[in-house]
Amino acid sequence: GENVEQHPSTLSVQEGDSAVIKCTYSDSASNYFPWYKQELGKGPQLIIDIRSNVGEKKDQRIAVTLNKTAKHFSLHITETQPEDSAVYFCAASPQFGNQFYFGTGTSLTVIP
Amino acid sequence: DSGVTQTPKHLITATGQRVTLRCSPRSGDLSVYWYQQSLDQGLQFLIHYYNGEERAKGNILERFSAQQFPDLHSELNLSSLELGDSALYFCASSVEGSVGNTIYFGEGSWLTVV
């Protein structure tokens, strides 16, 4: 099955700096890669996603890049704010089955 | 608010007991997924139902079972509970069960087994 690895497990940045979280996947058939943000005591919320026919996608301060050849994808958050502090999960969805495989999460702390 | 409703939010029970967690998907969503999240592990996929039928099974223990009813709500039954079953259980839903459908998570049910 698919194996998704996520790094780093913890990340601290100063407010206003950028944060980058990286994930790798093993199944070359995976073609959908969402990112979720989980705040304390809440369920994961979708923040951005990318499909395998696209190399980059942006939504305001958040962007995701995908390198299918290397089988890795990254989340970029620019101009970080304290409310960006949360746990972020990447996921990969193989071509069949619609089963999502999640990374182990990155705890992001934005220091005011 | 994702539109996915889970009850109860918190549950404390003793080892050996049985509990049922309930999930109402977003209006119009036919697929329901169950995930387990414990402190030392990430989000572990348990099971996926689509329009009442089981679609995929993940790391679900034999002591656990689930079903999706005609009104599309789903229940996850956990029996012979052990301390290690203490975790946050999430339900998620999506419109269909096919590839690339965005899934939306509920707020989760905190289960503590004592």
Side-chain angles (χ1 to χ4, degrees):
Chain A
E2 175 66 277
N3 180 44
V4 177
E5 294 190 356
Q6 183 172 347
H7 300 280
S9 56
T10 59
L11 179 61
S12 290
V13 299
Q14 292 289 332
E15 182 177 358
D17 287 350
S18 294
V20 180
I21 302 170
K22 299 182 179 181
C23 289
T24 60
Y25 61 98
S26 60
D27 189 346
S28 57
S30 288
N31 60 5
Y32 176 61
F33 307 91
W35 284 88
Y36 286 84
K37 174 184 180 182
Q38 185 177 20
E39 295 175 337
L40 199 61
K42 300 202 166 188
Q45 263 191 308
L46 178 73
I47 55 171
I48 196 167
D49 56 13
I50 192 167
R51 298 179 193 273
S52 60
N53 59 346
V54 174
E56 183 176 359
K57 184 177 178 181
K58 272 188 178 181
D59 183 4
Q60 299 182 344
R61 296 186 296 108
I62 294 173
V64 57
T65 58
L66 171 65
N67 183 327
K68 282 192 67 180
T69 304
K71 288 190 273 188
H72 67 70
F73 56 114
S74 300
L75 177 71
H76 304 253
I77 306 174
T78 59
E79 301 172 22
T80 53
Q81 301 167 4
E83 51 264 39
D84 294 329
S85 296
V87 178
Y88 292 80
F89 290 95
C90 62
S93 180
Q95 189 170 2
F96 299 104
N98 200 35
Q99 181 170 329
F100 285 77
Y101 294 87
F102 284 84
T104 48
T106 296
S107 178
L108 173 64
T109 302
V110 179
I111 304 165
Chain B
D1 184 3
S2 66
V4 179
T5 304
Q6 289 188 247
T7 57
K9 291 195 187 310
H10 301 274
L11 190 56
I12 301 175
T13 190
T15 54
Q17 295 298 305
R18 173 191 170 95
V19 298
T20 297
L21 310 180
R22 183 189 167 100
C23 169
S24 293
R26 295 185 322 153
S27 177
D29 284 1
L30 299 177
S31 270
V32 169
Y33 310 79
W34 286 97
Y35 283 84
Q36 179 192 57
Q37 185 178 41
S38 51
L39 282 175
D40 57 347
Q41 295 189 20
L43 286 156
Q44 300 288 317
F45 169 71
L46 296 179
I47 198 162
H48 167 208
Y49 276 85
Y50 173 74
N51 204 20
E53 293 188 6
E54 183 184 303
R55 268 286 179 92
K57 259 186 178 179
N59 301 322
I60 188 165
L61 300 172
E62 285 192 10
R63 301 183 285 109
F64 296 180
S65 64
Q67 53 183 326
Q68 186 181 25
F69 295 87
D71 66 353
L72 301 177
H73 91 271
S74 178
E75 293 181 355
L76 179 66
N77 300 296
L78 315 174
S79 61
S80 303
L81 286 167
E82 302 174 359
L83 296 177
D85 297 326
S86 296
L88 190 51
Y89 291 85
F90 285 109
C91 170
S93 74
S94 66
V95 172
E96 298 177 357
S98 55
V99 172
N101 266 218
T102 301
I103 62 173
Y104 298 89
F105 284 84
E107 298 282 281
S109 291
W110 274 103
L111 172 65
T112 302
V113 182
V114 297

